[in-house]
């Protein structure tokens, strides 16, 4: 069986969600924290809860308001014949169009037979499961035994239960004996017999007290059949299913590390459910090193019987999956959108971007930077904004930085990220209009993307050296000296841009437009041979740290540098 569509209303942080589920075996949900990824898994778990006594409380309702009835609906496809039988749910079948990802009220030619299953919970906190065809239908009861047949299980942060023979655990499903209770009763009798064999060693003190009790009984006329002694009561020491646990020698496997327990649980799940199953895996990377994450995901890909719903915050997981596996969850005041990354027009492009910048895909807001210098510069500004200006950090605002590795790639990347539902801004130079032009900037702005592009056909180095107060110019040169530790080389580069009359004694430099231009070009032009003054992210960060204190100078308030950075900061703050 496979989930084809999920609809949720008023469940925890979800006010409304409608998700036509792609026909994939692995569906990995990504997005910022609190975007309800785990809640989606919990909704799926509850709609197929295999027992009748699933509990709810007021906190399960959206905004904790039980006046808003919880409804969780799933369109279930790939049905077994038993579910299509007229004596079962045959009269309640609907249709699913795999091409349009839409449900019809009735089956039909070219449609997949499906069931529309609804879980509803009102303010009485009593869950009701039913199979329906239309919105107004009361439907028929979807029984717990049939919910169990869908074989939905959640592997969360705590999976210890699956390493015991507790009711519903994977080990219980793997156990072939027809009567586990009888086997456990035999184990209790064996425990009692073992204790009897050690009575002289372990029960002498207890038997002395038992003798006192026997003497008292006889004195009071209580019949004594044989003799009183201390012993195990097989009813009181009933060996419960949960008490029988998997061990490695004498060590219970619950003492394994978290990652190892989850990997073992997943492997056992595959062994137990050789028929189609639906497995929910919350935070798949927890407790695992990168190489074991890769092995676990490969294990899931090789399971042809399972439909897996995963959540993750790990770029390692993203790099191990393909664009076809990824679905981005966006939350806007309780309205949830799940956007597949496998959009036909952009899938090939996005696959490469996930490999090179996976971290960015885990944030709701992304600044696409032309190169490493811009990424590092913004990281340094972020440090300054937080430590000196009291502003919120980029992390707090949910902003990630993406290195486009060239101006020519920015437009495509920004448009693709926007198509996936991200809030996008761009920081780009203007010195190569054939790679990123004013027309490109206009197109992005018309698409709702904020563009910070330097004026005057300048690079970031040229723009900064042109606009920053003179003290900032000197601080920039000092930062380059600290990075390169080669004054002669830097001065040669500046001299080649300045021309005749250049004074190599930087201690006596005075402000001039010619010197600013030469410094900016030297810092930029040396990028062509990968020796740009601030080309690496770490260097750009050091540069920003050296000059950020000068950006608040009133003399440059109206400069292009400050105006573009202000527009970017306003976007960060949603102003």
């Amino acid at each position: 069986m496979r989930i084809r569509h999920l609809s949720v209303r008023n469940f925890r942080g979800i006010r409304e969600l409608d998700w036509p589920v792609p026909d994939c075996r692995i569906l990995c949900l990504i997005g910022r924290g609190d975007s309800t990824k785990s809640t989606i898994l919990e909704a799926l778990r509850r709609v197929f809860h295999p027992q009748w006594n699933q509990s709810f409380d007021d906190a399960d309702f959206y905004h904790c308001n039980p006046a808003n009835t919880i409804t969780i609906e799933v369109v279930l496809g790939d049905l077994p014949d038993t579910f299509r039988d007229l004596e079962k749910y045959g009269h309640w079948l609907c249709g699913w169009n795999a091409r349009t990802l839409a449900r019809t009220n009735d089956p039909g030619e070219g449609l997949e037979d499906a069931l529309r299953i609804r879980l509803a919970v009102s303010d009485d906190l009593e869950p009701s499961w039913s199979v329906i065809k239309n919105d107004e239908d009361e439907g028929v009861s979807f029984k717990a035994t049939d919910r169990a047949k869908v074989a939905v299980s959640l592997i969360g942060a705590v999976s210890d239960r699956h390493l015991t023979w507790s009711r519903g655990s994977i080990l219980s499903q793997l156990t072939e004996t027809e009567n586990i209770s009888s086997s456990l009763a035999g184990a209790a009798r064996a425990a009692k017999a073992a204790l009897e064999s050690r009575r002289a060693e372990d029960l002498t003190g207890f038997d002395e007290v038992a003798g006192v009790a026997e003497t008292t009984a006889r004195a009071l006329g209580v019949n004594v059949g044989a003799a009183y002694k201390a012993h195990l009561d097989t009813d009181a020491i009933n060996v419960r299913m949960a008490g029988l646990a998997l061990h490695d020698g004498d060590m219970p496997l619950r003492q394994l590390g978290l990652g190892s327990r989850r990997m073992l649980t997943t492997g056992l799940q595959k062994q137990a459910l050789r028929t189609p199953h639906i497995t929910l895996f919350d935070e798949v990377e927890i407790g695992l090193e990168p190489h074991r994450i890769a092995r676990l995901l490969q294990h899931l890909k090789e399971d042809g019987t399972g439909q897996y719903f995963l959540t993750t915050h790990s770029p390692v997981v993203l790099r191990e999956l393909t664009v076809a596996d990824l679905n981005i969850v966006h939350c806007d005041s309780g309205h949830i959108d799940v956007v597949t990354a496998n959009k036909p027009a952009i899938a090939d492009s996005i696959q490469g971007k996930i490999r090179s910048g996976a971290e960015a895909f885990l944030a709701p807001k992304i600044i696409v930077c032309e190169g490493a210098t811009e990424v590092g510069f913004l990281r340094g500004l972020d440090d300054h904004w937080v430590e000196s200006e009291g502003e919120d950090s980029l992390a707090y605002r949910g902003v990630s930085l993406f290195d486009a590795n060239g101006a020519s790639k920015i437009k495509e990347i920004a448009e693709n990220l926007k198509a996936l539902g991200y809030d996008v801004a761009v920081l780009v130079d203007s010195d190569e209009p054939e790679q990123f032009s004013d027309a490109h900037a206009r197109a992005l702005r018309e698409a709702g993307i904020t563009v910070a592009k330097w004026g005057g056909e300048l690079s970031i180095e040229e723009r900064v050296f042109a606009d920053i107060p003179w003290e900032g110019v000197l601080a920039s040169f000092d930062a380059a000296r600290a990075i390169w530790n080669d004054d002669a080389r830097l001065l040669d580069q500046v001299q080649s841009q300045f021309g005749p009359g250049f004074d190599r004694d930087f201690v006596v430099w005075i402000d001039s437009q010619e010197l600013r231009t030469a410094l900016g070009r030297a810092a930029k032009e040396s990028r062509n041979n990968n020796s740009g003054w601030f080309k690496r992210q770490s260097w750009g960060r050091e540069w920003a740290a050296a000059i950020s204190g000068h950006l608040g100078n009133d003399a440059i308030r109206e400069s292009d540098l400050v105006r573009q950075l202000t527009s970017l900061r306003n976007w960060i703050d949603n102003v």
Side-chain angles (χ1 to χ4, degrees), residues 12 31 59 93 104 126 143 250 326 380 469 492:
R12 297 188 178 175
L93 292 175
T104 61
E126 291 295 329
K143 298 179 180 179
D250 292 331
L326 302 180
D492 287 345

Side-chain angles (χ1 to χ4, degrees), residues 8-177:
V8 181
R9 297 290 184 274
N10 302 315
F11 180 55
R12 297 188 178 175
I14 301 176
R15 178 169 54 85
E16 56 180 355
L17 161 68
D18 287 289
W19 181 25
V21 178
D23 188 14
C24 302
R25 288 190 295 107
I26 295 180
L27 297 123
C28 183
L29 302 178
I30 64 175
R32 67 175 177 85
D34 299 324
S35 60
T36 73
K37 301 184 298 296
S38 296
T39 302
I40 291 173
L41 298 194
E42 182 63 14
L44 289 172
R45 185 188 74 83
R46 294 201 179 201
V47 78
F48 293 109
H49 185 66
Q51 299 173 16
W52 64 269
N53 61 341
Q54 173 66 66
S55 62
F56 286 81
D57 59 42
D58 287 359
D60 288 318
F61 292 81
Y62 182 67
H63 281 176
C64 299
N65 183 0
N68 301 316
T69 298
I70 295 171
T71 57
I72 303 172
E73 291 187 5
V74 165
V75 175
L76 187 66
D78 194 17
L79 300 174
D81 291 340
T82 54
F83 276 26
R84 291 199 295 265
D85 193 291
L86 293 178
E87 295 183 359
K88 199 67 160 177
Y89 303 114
H91 292 293
W92 296 89
L93 292 175
C94 62
W96 178 254
N97 190 319
R99 182 178 59 84
T100 62
L101 299 181
R103 174 185 54 82
T104 61
N105 288 337
D106 296 293
E109 184 177 353
L111 302 177
E112 178 186 13
D113 288 346
L115 288 179
R116 184 182 178 187
I117 298 161
R118 171 186 286 172
L119 165 62
V121 185
S122 57
D123 57 3
D124 62 2
L125 304 182
E126 291 295 329
S128 172
W129 288 269
S130 56
V131 177
I132 62 173
K133 287 173 69 73
N134 304 302
D135 290 340
E136 61 274 11
D137 287 342
E138 291 186 6
V140 294
S141 175
F142 189 48
K143 298 179 180 179
T145 52
D146 291 329
R147 299 198 298 272
K149 292 175 184 177
V150 185
V152 175
S153 61
L154 172 66
I155 300 177
V158 180
S159 302
D160 293 358
R161 182 179 70 88
H162 289 296
L163 299 179
T164 72
W165 273 264
S166 58
R167 186 178 301 277
S169 73
I170 294 171
L171 290 179
S172 293
Q173 297 174 45
L174 281 168
T175 303
E176 295 181 359
T177 179

Side-chain angles (χ1 to χ4, degrees), residues 218-456:
R218 292 181 184 279
L220 295 175
V222 177
N223 184 50
V224 176
Y228 283 11
K229 62 181 179 179
H231 218 328
L232 295 176
D233 184 336
T234 54
D235 181 60
I237 65 146
N238 176 36
V239 180
R240 297 176 296 108
M241 292 172 66
L244 195 61
L246 200 61
H247 284 63
D248 181 358
D250 292 331
M251 183 191 77
L253 292 190
R254 60 179 170 77
Q255 292 185 0
L256 288 173
L258 175 60
S260 296
R261 297 201 307 271
R262 299 180 93 209
M263 287 194 75
L264 178 57
T265 299
T266 305
L268 291 173
Q269 174 87 327
K270 182 177 177 181
Q271 294 296 323
L273 299 172
R274 296 184 181 277
T275 56
H277 62 93
I278 298 168
T279 298
L280 317 174
F281 212 135
D282 199 16
E283 302 291 357
V284 66
E285 71 278 3
I286 289 180
L288 296 177
E289 305 88 345
H291 67 278
R292 291 211 292 170
I293 291 175
R295 183 67 195 96
L296 174 60
L297 293 176
Q298 184 61 34
H299 175 84
L300 303 188
K301 293 174 185 178
E302 293 170 353
D303 180 8
T305 64
Q307 185 184 31
Y308 288 92
F309 290 80
L310 318 177
T311 71
T312 186
H313 287 108
S314 169
V316 175
V317 174
L318 268 61
R319 293 187 178 101
E320 292 295 331
L321 297 176
T322 69
V323 67
D325 304 320
L326 302 180
N327 298 267
I328 304 103
V329 182
H330 299 286
C331 177
D332 183 8
S333 300
H335 176 82
I336 311 301
D337 281 323
V338 182
V339 181
T340 178
N342 195 26
K343 290 181 174 291
I346 65 174
D348 290 343
S349 173
I350 288 298
Q351 181 66 67
K353 304 307 179 292
I354 291 172
R355 293 277 188 262
S356 61
E359 291 82 358
F361 287 83
L362 301 171
K365 304 176 70 173
I366 302 173
I367 301 176
V368 181
C369 300
E370 179 172 330
T373 302
E374 286 78 10
V375 172
F377 191 80
L378 286 181
R379 292 194 189 282
L381 281 184
D382 185 37
D383 296 335
H384 171 75
W385 284 331
V386 172
E387 297 168 6
S388 301
E389 302 294 333
E391 302 277 5
D392 292 333
S393 67
L394 297 182
Y396 180 82
R397 288 290 181 174
V399 177
S400 185
L401 306 176
F402 187 95
D403 182 356
N405 196 28
S408 63
K409 304 173 185 178
I410 285 181
K411 183 174 182 290
E412 178 191 30
I413 293 172
E415 289 175 334
N416 290 349
L417 291 172
K418 187 69 175 179
L420 294 179
Y422 292 100
D423 193 0
V424 183
V426 163
L427 177 62
V428 60
D429 294 343
S430 61
D431 59 329
E432 297 178 306
E434 71 281 1
Q435 295 191 30
F436 190 89
S437 64
D438 289 340
H440 291 149
R442 278 195 303 273
L444 292 183
R445 291 184 178 114
E446 289 171 0
I449 296 171
T450 294
V451 178
K453 176 174 176 283
W454 313 120

Side-chain angles (χ1 to χ4, degrees), residues 175-183:
T175 303
E176 295 181 359
T177 179
E178 295 183 359
N179 193 337
I180 294 179
S181 297
S182 175
S183 298

